[in-house]
Amino acid sequence: MAYQQGVNMMASSTDVMARLLALKPAHVEPRFTTVEGWKKFQAEEALKSNQQITDRNRQARMEKIIGRSGIQLMHRECSFSNYRVECPEQQAALDAAKGFVTAFGKSHGGFVFSGNCGTGKNHLASAIARNLIKRGYSAMVMTVSELFENHRATFSKDSPVKEADLLRDLCRLDLLVLDEVGLQKGSEYEINLLTNIVDRRQLQLKPTGMLTNKTYEEMVGMVGERVMDRQTDSGIWVPFTWASMRGRKGKNS
């Protein structure tokens, strides 16, 4: 009985598909010509929808834990379109940031924006995160001091957030951008935490961004060679070598 019902339903679906194809204008190319093709499309769309819901929930959970949006308030309006370009090097940095977004999901490589304060590192990193969030990915920009503060808070017996849960969600974000890398004390605890997070994210093919005013050699000395090896594997290093734009009218940094 069940088998016969299935056969009848398939025949009915095929008849409907045939009638729809017969009604289409001659110049229209149909997306589906078979019931099987339509069912495959529906299954793929369901998977995409489930993943987007998962990413939105992860984003919301991290924002609740950290107590703010994935992008700091002062950088929420930063975009590629309002990034001011005044030299070839700035154009190269803008192109690299846009390229990272375009290629996102095709590589696990992260990025390092290296340069002095006020050169626009946060602007482009926030623009990257904004673009990815709009596309349904989960992303967060946070300072390393903010990371350490939230991690240490989990040590309290009264903490509503467990260390394992915090690390799990940090490592499952589609993009995590760590600001002020290299300004920390460089203690064993800090290096171990950064190494742990970058390693786990790499193993899950999740890229990490880093913003710093240190050179590559100084970064190796501060966070360790293993972290930098992981960070630049299939990733990009973008130098921000121009003068600070802070204090100049109409400029975002």
Side-chain angles (χ1 to χ4, degrees):
M1 177 68 74
Y3 171 78
Q4 187 60 46
Q5 287 177 341
V7 172
N8 293 339
M9 289 179 63
M10 180 62 72
S12 176
S13 298
T14 302
D15 290 342
V16 171
M17 180 67 71
R19 289 197 296 270
L20 289 174
L21 291 174
L23 292 173
K24 77 173 181 63
H27 66 280
V28 175
E29 188 67 27
R31 175 175 290 183
F32 318 108
T33 57
T34 65
V35 174
E36 289 75 14
W38 175 80
K39 287 184 175 180
K40 181 180 179 182
F41 171 78
Q42 291 294 323
E44 291 173 348
E45 288 300 298
L47 286 175
K48 290 180 183 178
S49 178
N50 289 338
Q51 184 59 51
Q52 288 175 349
I53 292 172
T54 298
D55 288 336
R56 283 196 294 269
N57 289 341
R58 185 175 300 129
Q59 181 81 36
R61 188 164 57 246
M62 278 306 307
E63 291 180 357
K64 182 177 180 181
I65 291 173
I66 303 302
R68 62 167 177 82
S69 158
I71 302 170
Q72 293 279 17
L73 181 61
M74 68 180 296
H75 297 122
R76 287 182 195 169
E77 300 305 317
C78 293
S79 66
F80 294 142
S81 61
N82 63 21
Y83 179 75
R84 298 287 294 273
V85 173
E86 297 180 336
C87 65
E89 291 80 8
Q90 287 175 323
Q91 184 63 57
L94 176 60
D95 291 342
K98 287 182 175 179
F100 182 84
V101 171
T102 300
F104 196 82
K106 301 174 184 176
S107 169
H108 64 276
F111 63 83
V112 180
F113 291 170
S114 172
N116 292 327
C117 296
T119 50
K121 300 187 300 295
N122 259 299
H123 186 123
L124 288 183
S126 297
I128 288 173
R130 283 187 65 200
N131 273 270
L132 293 178
I133 291 172
K134 286 180 180 178
R135 289 169 53 183
Y137 292 105
S138 55
M140 176 160 285
V141 183
M142 65 190 310
T143 64
V144 288
S145 60
E146 192 176 14
L147 167 65
F148 299 146
E149 179 182 349
N150 280 275
H151 184 253
R152 289 191 179 100
T154 66
F155 298 164
S156 170
K157 64 179 182 180
D158 299 323
S159 172
V161 180
K162 303 302 181 184
E163 179 188 17
D165 295 334
L166 174 65
L167 292 178
R168 179 199 63 209
D169 286 339
L170 282 171
C171 294
R172 287 182 179 177
L173 283 168
D174 293 312
L175 176 66
L176 173 64
V177 181
L178 296 173
D179 186 17
E180 299 181 354
V181 178
L183 295 186
Q184 66 274 16
K185 298 177 182 178
S187 66
E188 184 177 356
Y189 157 75
E190 293 172 341
I191 292 176
N192 287 342
L193 180 57
L194 287 175
T195 302
N196 183 17
I197 290 173
V198 174
D199 277 353
R200 288 176 59 175
R201 290 184 57 79
Q202 283 278 334
L203 290 173
Q204 296 179 51
L205 303 183
K206 302 290 187 181
T208 305
M210 291 185 178
L211 312 182
T212 184
N213 63 358
K214 304 295 183 181
T215 65
Y216 180 87
E217 291 74 19
E218 289 172 330
M219 285 286 285
V220 170
M222 287 292 297
V223 301
E225 188 171 3
R226 183 178 179 185
V227 168
M228 290 309 299
D229 281 345
R230 288 284 193 182
Q231 186 57 25
T232 55
D233 178 27
S234 302
I236 56 174
W237 177 285
V238 183
F240 287 60
T241 56
W242 47 91
S244 172
M245 298 185 291
R246 286 182 182 164
R248 296 165 59 186
K249 187 176 181 180
K251 302 295 174 65
N252 282 314
S253 59

